[in-house]
Amino acid sequence: MNALRTKITSRMNEHFFGSKVKFALNKLGPQEKRKFEKEATEVYQRTLDYLSKFYDFENSPFNHFSSIDIRTNGSISFNQIMETVTACRIDVNQDALFDEIDILKSTLDKLKLEINFADFSVELYKIVSRILSVPVSNAYVERVFSLMSNLWTDERNRMRVDLVKAELCTKLNFNMSCQEFTEYIKRDEQKELLTCCKSNKKYSFKFKK
């Protein structure tokens, strides 16, 4: 969001509205050109006002995430990391975390190599894992709702919520092809599963009181 605000502000200050628009403006008269620039600048300003209204640039929790960005910081500070830990409510061993950061400071150049981060930085791994788990958009959630609509049709309107959930979990988490699943289900250790599928056991929820 900061990058977007900076980009819009720069375009507004420089009166840049895109290369194609700039080419088209050369064909307009001075009065029409000034009118367009005024209206376009107002659009930029309304966009900035909208961003400021719905996004807290000063106190956003995402500001704390920059503490692990060694590309911009160039170094890692224990105090900055602790601000991130506090903001994200991550339970860490501070003594172990300090030692890990101290080691990491002296080995930043070696990170260009393939190193398993979790092997030597347990506490840092907790922090990085939590931050990187924050979704960048709601596209995945929207996809889940779309799949649910496809499953829970008018013809299947008596489905229970737990059955819909089970089908969604299977659809979203299994990456097997039909042939791979067929081979998987034929294994000896899956006999019990096949037995349940072929009998009334799969409808056991009906017998619950």
Side-chain angles (χ1 to χ4, degrees), residues 160-206:
R160 291 171 57 93
V161 174
D162 53 353
L163 179 57
V164 177
K165 177 182 177 181
E167 288 197 25
L168 282 174
C169 288
T170 302
K171 197 174 188 68
L172 291 168
N173 296 305
F174 270 76
N175 55 3
M176 296 181 181
S177 64
C178 293
Q179 183 177 356
E180 289 172 340
F181 184 76
T182 301
E183 297 298 327
Y184 171 78
I185 206 68
K186 287 181 179 179
R187 296 177 183 175
D188 292 338
E189 59 266 26
Q190 303 303 331
K191 285 184 177 180
E192 184 178 356
L193 176 60
L194 279 176
T195 301
C196 292
C197 292
K198 294 177 181 179
S199 67
N200 286 334
K201 289 184 179 181
K202 63 176 175 289
Y203 301 116
S204 58
F205 64 86
K206 288 186 176 181

Side-chain angles (χ1 to χ4, degrees), residues 3 39-40 53 63 67 69-70 72 89 100 113 137-138 161:
E39 293 178 353
K53 180 179 179 180
N63 293 337
S67 62
D69 189 356
I70 59 177
T72 56
R89 299 178 182 178
E100 291 174 8
L113 304 175
S137 72
N138 63 344
V161 174

Side-chain angles (χ1 to χ4, degrees), residues 4 31-32 73 76 83 127 134-135 144 157-158:
L4 177 61
Q31 186 175 356
E32 293 177 318
N73 289 344
I76 294 180
E83 290 179 3
I127 300 170
V134 177
V144 173
N157 58 8
R158 298 185 64 183

Side-chain angles (χ1 to χ4, degrees), residues 22-169:
K22 184 178 180 180
F23 178 78
L25 286 176
N26 293 330
K27 300 180 180 180
L28 299 178
Q31 186 175 356
E32 293 177 318
K33 184 176 180 180
R34 285 193 297 269
K35 180 181 178 181
F36 174 84
E37 289 181 347
K38 179 183 177 181
E39 293 178 353
T41 301
E42 290 175 353
V43 171
Y44 277 150
Q45 187 59 56
R46 285 199 299 270
T47 304
L48 292 174
D49 293 340
Y50 180 87
L51 291 176
S52 299
K53 180 179 179 180
F54 292 100
Y55 186 84
D56 190 351
F57 287 94
E58 301 300 327
N59 302 309
S60 171
F62 294 102
N63 293 337
H64 298 288
F65 294 176
S66 61
S67 62
I68 65 169
D69 189 356
I70 59 177
R71 296 173 303 175
T72 56
N73 289 344
S75 62
I76 294 180
S77 166
F78 174 77
N79 292 330
Q80 289 180 337
I81 293 291
M82 282 307 303
E83 290 179 3
T84 303
V85 169
T86 303
C88 298
R89 299 178 182 178
I90 306 173
D91 182 22
V92 297
N93 183 326
Q94 294 189 27
D95 294 321
L97 176 62
F98 186 89
D99 293 338
E100 291 174 8
I101 293 175
D102 195 45
I103 295 173
L104 190 59
K105 286 180 180 179
S106 61
T107 57
L108 280 178
D109 292 337
K110 296 180 181 179
L111 288 180
K112 297 177 182 179
L113 304 175
E114 293 185 0
I115 298 177
N116 191 337
F117 194 64
D119 287 344
F120 70 95
S121 299
V122 178
E123 304 304 322
L124 276 173
Y125 184 74
K126 291 180 184 178
I127 300 170
V128 173
S129 298
R130 177 68 64 85
I131 291 175
L132 294 182
S133 67
V134 177
V136 296
S137 72
N138 63 344
Y140 183 80
V141 178
E142 294 290 344
R143 180 169 179 265
V144 173
F145 279 112
S146 177
L147 290 173
M148 184 178 69
S149 298
N150 293 336
L151 292 173
W152 212 342
T153 61
D154 292 338
E155 291 77 14
R156 308 178 74 194
N157 58 8
R158 298 185 64 183
M159 289 176 64
R160 291 171 57 93
V161 174
D162 53 353
L163 179 57
V164 177
K165 177 182 177 181
E167 288 197 25
L168 282 174
C169 288

